[in-house]
Amino acid sequence: MTEGVQGARLRRAALAVYPAVLAGERLDFLLDRSGLRGSERASLQWLLSGALRESGILQELLQHLLRPGKQDEQILALLQLALFELRHGQRPDFAIVNDWVSASQLVGKSWAKGLINAVLRRYLRERPGLDADAVSASHPDWLLQRLQDAYPTDWPTIVRANLQAAPLWLRVNRRRISRDQYQALLQEQGHASQRCATLPDALILPQSLPVRELPGWEDGWVAVQDGAAQLAAEILAPQAGERILDACAAPGGKTAHLLSLGADDVLALDSAAPRLQRLEVALQRQGLSTQTRVADAAQISSYWDGRPFHAILLDAPCSATGIIRRHPDILHHAPDLPRLCQEQARLLRGVWPALAPGGRLLYATCSLLPEENELLVQDFLHTQADACRVDDPRCGQRLPGQEEMDGFYYALLRKSAAGEAA
Ligand SMILES: C[S@@+](CC[C@H](N)C(=O)[O-])C[C@H]1O[C@@H](n2cnc3c(N)ncnc32)[C@H](O)[C@@H]1O
């Protein structure tokens, strides 16, 4: 049961975690520490991710529903969570209102019962007009402005896509089981799924599910990976015997995919040791292994033995503005964009010398911002004489919601072979 918040335990956890995430803490860490498991954890995640995705809308609604003046922060957080459940939950409105009115006791604020009741009932009375006014307030100014500049016609579609919950994308580990067999297993357990026509290992489930409920999870039959992320290994198309550098590899979704497609000589690098440990655990679960190294990918002298790589995947750190529907906390942390772009350019220039003549490099981000993507690649191509772009219809800027996938950017580059002009 993910679309409702039954039980005081859940509401108590939500009231503790939500203000912390709004103050800048990471939602996934706090969910892990909440002590809730299974369907309770899924309900908490549904509520908090949704309220974070919509927090701009919820704040705007409260501006209309509350009298001007200073309000108690905990009660404001409680009202946002209650409004989110009223907007999207599947329980009856009266039950939602009653439960959140009672929840004021959980934070020692019984005095606010009348206020909470009045605000929620007024929302239910005036709902259609209030909802229509609030949607444009869902994204912070820094992001809305950039999206409007970069996508003068598509930005409203992007904003709406960011507010939708994402489906669950699975990648079947073809080394363990075929997609058809896995789909049949899911069906036996009552989970309908859809095959993706363009990705041979992908299945799409309409709703999120705790991974441990997936058949064969512990045995690595399947990984959770959005369709857009699954494109990386498909575009790079690794061949057995090729030396491949996965330059920013952790937590390893794309490394595992490369290995499952038959790559057998992959060096997986990441500058963050704990994240690289997560990669190792993920590979082990899927029955895969490869060489790993903690290193700054741009400093090739620290890890490269001088034998050129046939292919490089550079899945660069970025603003993650393409995956807001999965990580709505991104709406609450304005990134340091100039620093990120500098780092992306440093990584691209840094790894390029390790690529073999005639070799290919796939630059990837889960960003929607041109300065991290197309503009950065164009700048690189203008100044790097031995680099050219390979046309691939799967590359370019992909927007969230298109083909049910996350927002991603891919550019496939090629290094000219010896004696060949770029
Ligand atoms: C977008 S994530 C990679 C996701 C990964 N490719 C996957 O599919 O699971 C970017 C990664 O780059 C790593 N990173 C950041 N700066 C780096 C650097 N200078 N050298 C190597 N890795 C770096 C981060 O620690 C992070 O794990």
Side-chain angles (χ1 to χ4, degrees):
M1 159 67 182
T2 56
E3 301 201 341
V5 193
Q6 265 170 323
R9 233 158 80 89
L10 253 175
R11 279 185 291 281
R12 189 194 306 275
L15 287 166
V17 172
Y18 188 56
V21 185
L22 287 177
E25 290 198 50
R26 288 268 307 265
L27 177 58
D28 42 1
F29 293 163
L30 292 172
L31 282 174
D32 287 346
R33 275 195 259 139
S34 70
L36 298 178
R37 297 281 171 266
S39 62
E40 276 198 319
R41 188 189 195 278
S43 292
L44 185 62
Q45 180 161 17
W46 169 81
L47 176 69
L48 293 174
S49 307
L52 284 167
R53 246 190 334 261
E54 289 207 340
S55 76
I57 293 182
L58 301 172
Q59 280 163 21
E60 183 77 7
L61 286 172
L62 287 175
Q63 291 241 322
H64 291 281
L65 292 165
L66 287 164
R67 287 207 200 97
K70 177 122 183 67
Q71 303 289 343
D72 182 282
E73 292 295 326
Q74 277 179 313
I75 297 302
L76 284 176
L78 182 153
L79 283 168
Q80 286 193 23
L81 296 171
L83 283 172
F84 178 81
E85 197 185 356
L86 278 177
R87 284 163 60 74
H88 301 282
Q90 289 178 354
R91 302 193 298 141
D93 289 346
F94 74 87
I96 297 175
V97 172
N98 286 347
D99 283 348
W100 285 105
V101 167
S102 307
S104 56
Q105 282 169 302
L106 301 173
V107 283
K109 305 228 160 126
S110 304
W111 55 263
K113 279 186 174 178
L115 172 76
I116 297 166
N117 191 39
V119 166
L120 298 182
R121 287 187 193 282
R122 183 169 162 215
Y123 170 70
L124 290 173
R125 280 196 310 276
E126 299 177 20
R127 183 172 185 167
L130 286 174
D131 281 354
D133 288 345
V135 171
S136 63
S138 58
H139 283 44
D141 288 346
W142 71 267
L143 179 57
L144 197 61
Q145 190 63 57
R146 283 194 156 79
L147 293 178
Q148 287 172 339
D149 289 347
Y151 306 97
T153 46
D154 283 337
W155 70 265
T157 315
I158 297 173
V159 165
R160 274 196 297 276
N162 288 345
L163 299 175
Q164 304 291 317
L168 176 66
W169 278 84
L170 300 179
R171 178 173 52 72
V172 178
N173 181 357
R174 59 167 77 177
R175 295 201 168 195
R176 292 268 154 106
I177 186 168
S178 77
R179 176 168 74 170
D180 286 353
Q181 287 170 321
Y182 196 78
Q183 189 176 32
L185 273 180
L186 281 173
Q187 191 62 47
E188 274 169 29
Q189 298 199 356
H191 301 302
S193 64
Q194 209 191 311
R195 268 175 276 187
C196 171
T198 47
L199 287 165
D201 299 326
L203 287 174
I204 312 166
L205 279 78
Q207 268 171 1
S208 188
L209 196 70
V211 288
R212 285 176 206 291
E213 288 179 22
L214 292 165
W217 173 259
E218 295 296 345
D219 298 321
W221 291 2
V222 76
V224 172
Q225 191 176 38
D226 188 85
Q230 293 189 40
L231 283 168
E234 294 290 337
I235 297 171
L236 205 60
Q239 307 296 315
E242 284 188 326
R243 288 203 88 204
I244 298 178
L245 173 65
D246 189 352
C248 295
K254 299 182 190 73
T255 319
H257 194 188
L258 288 168
L259 295 168
S260 76
L261 291 185
D264 53 9
D265 187 2
V266 177
L267 173 58
L269 288 185
D270 204 279
S271 56
R275 286 175 65 84
L276 207 55
Q277 273 167 11
R278 282 176 61 196
L279 172 145
E280 280 160 6
V281 170
L283 291 191
Q284 201 175 22
R285 185 183 63 80
Q286 292 169 71
L288 303 165
S289 67
T290 202
Q291 229 189 311
T292 61
R293 185 98 177 237
V294 178
D296 171 2
Q299 300 282 334
I300 51 174
S301 59
S302 68
Y303 61 87
W304 187 43
D305 61 9
R307 285 188 301 136
F309 294 100
H310 300 101
I312 297 180
L313 172 59
L314 177 54
D315 189 15
C318 71
S319 63
T321 38
I323 55 171
I324 288 171
R325 60 191 197 142
R326 290 187 194 283
H327 300 281
D329 36 346
I330 290 160
L331 291 171
H332 301 277
H333 318 300
D336 181 347
L337 275 174
R339 195 196 59 74
L340 269 177
C341 295
Q342 236 176 23
E343 186 59 5
Q344 290 151 353
R346 188 182 75 90
L347 282 162
L348 184 50
R349 289 194 187 289
V351 297
W352 189 255
L355 185 64
R360 59 209 188 278
L361 180 148
L362 184 64
Y363 176 79
T365 74
C366 55
S367 163
L368 299 181
L369 306 181
E371 57 265 56
E372 298 180 84
N373 296 340
E374 188 54 30
L375 295 178
L376 185 125
V377 167
Q378 279 177 13
D379 187 51
F380 179 73
L381 290 171
H382 280 141
T383 49
Q384 188 69 41
D386 59 354
C388 67
R389 192 195 299 261
V390 179
D391 282 331
D392 184 308
R394 296 164 295 183
C395 288
Q397 184 67 62
R398 311 180 64 89
L399 302 181
Q402 277 178 352
E403 300 176 77
E404 299 196 51
M405 295 181 188
D406 284 344
F408 246 82
Y409 173 84
Y410 286 113
L412 184 60
L413 310 179
R414 181 174 177 276
K415 188 184 253 191
S416 24
E420 177 194 37

